[in-house]
Amino acid sequence: MSSPRWPVVVFDLDGTVVNTVPLIIASYEHAMLDVLGERPGPGEARGWIGEPLYTTFGSRYPERARELIDSYVTWNLAHLPELLEEFPGTPGLLRSLRDAGARLGVATSKRRSSAETTIRHAGLEGLLEVTVAMEDTTVHKPEPDPLLLALERLGARPEEAAYVGDAAVDVLAARAAGMAAIAVSWGAATREALVAARPDALVDTVEELQALLLP
């Protein structure tokens, strides 16, 4: 079996490990229609993916942020089982990394309850040793704090770890943390935005990611 290029790999969750992009966009649309009586503009909600909910709603609708978050969370959890999609090959990649001796974790902007529910419904329990969620740090990506906390909990150093994500903020956070920054193009961000963030590697398929992580 191949040895992992990095002994520790931390992943973003939404749009990277699992395809929650349709669910997230639908949740944003529901919350805004429910609370504000309007929908986000074309492509607007996709651009919010990766931000904590309180950042998204608090910066745009501060007086209604609490209502919007509650509406989003309630609808999102209710519809997660039917709208959650798998990126084909991702569970196999995680198993291969684990079997090769890599230690795996997640650093996400999702709330812990949502992150753990997503991981459970995706059948990934037991593959990811550590989950750093929104509540665990006071600042979030593109700041490095969530990634560094994941490394601390894994007992790892930045120079021996990679972070894999689908957004420019993921690349920026990895670079700020001193980790290898790997971008995947199958999530919410455009390929152009990922290239502009200057990751150490940009992959277009799970097979390419596996070849990079398990050379």
Side-chain angles (χ1 to χ4, degrees):
M1 179 176 291
S2 301
S3 297
R5 187 183 298 271
W6 293 275
V8 174
V9 185
V10 181
F11 293 86
D12 173 52
L13 186 58
D14 293 317
T16 301
V17 174
V18 291
N19 185 12
T20 52
V21 173
L23 171 66
I24 291 171
I25 291 174
S27 300
Y28 277 130
E29 291 180 344
H30 167 81
M32 288 188 61
L33 193 61
D34 179 39
V35 176
L36 304 176
E38 61 185 58
R39 297 180 185 274
E44 188 176 15
R46 179 175 285 269
W48 297 339
I49 296 175
E51 296 179 347
L53 288 176
Y54 72 82
T55 299
T56 300
F57 290 133
S59 62
R60 295 168 176 84
Y61 312 100
E63 295 181 356
R64 309 296 299 275
R66 182 74 266 162
E67 296 170 80
L68 286 161
I69 291 170
D70 289 345
S71 180
Y72 176 105
V73 170
T74 300
W75 196 91
N76 182 278
L77 290 175
H79 293 272
L80 186 148
E82 67 193 73
L83 293 179
L84 180 67
E85 300 177 6
E86 177 184 299
F87 287 124
T90 301
L93 167 62
L94 297 179
R95 293 188 189 95
S96 295
L97 284 168
R98 179 199 59 187
D99 293 345
R103 303 191 66 192
L104 309 178
V106 158
T108 176
S109 298
K110 289 177 88 74
R111 292 170 171 235
R112 174 161 299 279
S113 60
S114 296
E116 292 177 346
T117 300
T118 298
I119 290 169
R120 184 173 65 254
H121 277 285
L124 302 178
E125 287 182 303
L127 295 175
L128 301 161
E129 294 181 50
V130 164
T131 299
V132 172
M134 183 271 290
E135 299 94 329
D136 294 322
T137 59
T138 55
V139 296
H140 304 281
K141 299 180 290 187
E143 299 300 324
D145 299 49
L147 283 61
L148 293 173
L149 180 58
L151 294 182
E152 179 184 327
R153 291 178 175 176
L154 288 165
R157 302 184 306 275
E159 60 268 22
E160 62 183 351
Y163 186 63
V164 183
D166 69 312
V169 292
D170 298 324
V171 175
L172 296 174
R175 293 170 70 88
M179 302 168 67
I182 301 172
V184 302
S185 66
W186 54 74
T190 64
R191 202 175 196 281
E192 292 73 19
L194 295 173
V195 169
R198 301 176 60 195
D200 295 300
L202 172 58
V203 298
D204 297 312
T205 66
V206 175
E207 291 74 19
E208 289 180 22
L209 181 59
Q210 178 150 340
L212 178 65
L213 298 177
L214 286 170

